[in-house]
Amino acid sequence: MRVVVKVGTSTLTYATGRLNIRHVETLCKVLSDMKNAGNEVILVSSGAIGMGVGKLNLAARPQDMPSKQACAAVGQCELMYTYDKLFSEYSHTVAQLLVTGEDLQGEGERHRNFTNTILRLLELGTLPVINENDTVSTGEIAVGDNDTLGALVAVSVGAELLIVLTDIDGLYTADPRRDPAAVLVPEVRELTPEILASAGGGGTALSTGGMATKLTAARICMERGTDMVIVSGAQPEVLYDVMDGRSVGTRFIGKGKA
């Protein structure tokens, strides 16, 4: 199976911006095991700005754009060093791709080049790690939309599944942090107005996503016949359950699937 796994900043780091070593080590171990089982795995990873905040010993995520770009430049080095070190322990080679929205839109040359590169990297047995090019693409930082990036990557390379690891168990009928009566929605076949209205606000202090961006990603996937699963990244081993088809998190069913 060709699968894209998107991991958010809240899964990779603590609130301090420092690396959550236990989570990242387990994530790399499970993804390596997925590859060993014969799956083609692509990792879309947030975390550059968050890790840059920790590396530079800043008190909080900066608000001005030059500082965000500086954090991204520092944090991306730390992020890829960590992935390269951990995946190599399981005999897997990583490849870094930093992209902008223009690389994944339309049928132009840049989109073709991106797709051809990814497909060749998969043929060579590597594990591509993709992130937004936050040091130059200020629009991407402002949107904070690696969820949509994950969806665009998934449909571009013909992935069967996009798994979004985040800080919540899935889509709820309301924000579970504010409404104790909120109920997890296990499966979505249509993005109704009620479902869209259930999306809360933004993410954590170091991340910039939220459920609204995940529903945008779900729409992209569903329209192209790709399934998407939102699940908590607190225990990366949950990826085994998703790959085995067990009911965890919220699964969005691609159009045309039974």
Side-chain angles (χ1 to χ4, degrees), residues 182-256:
V183 177
L184 179 69
V185 180
E187 184 176 285
V188 174
R189 292 184 176 272
E190 181 183 0
L191 292 176
T192 64
E194 292 77 15
I195 288 175
L196 295 174
S198 69
T204 65
L206 287 174
S207 67
T208 50
M211 190 54 65
T213 63
K214 290 169 179 58
L215 293 184
T216 298
R219 183 189 299 278
I220 294 171
C221 287
M222 294 171 74
E223 289 178 349
R224 295 286 293 272
T226 299
D227 282 9
M228 176 178 133
V229 175
I230 299 175
V231 69
S232 171
Q235 300 292 333
E237 294 94 337
V238 74
L239 287 168
Y240 290 125
D241 293 330
V242 177
M243 296 298 290
D244 289 340
R246 297 190 180 97
S247 180
V248 290
T250 301
R251 180 178 287 263
F252 299 82
I253 307 299
K255 286 185 178 179

Side-chain angles (χ1 to χ4, degrees), residues 106 108 128 177 258:
R177 299 181 181 93

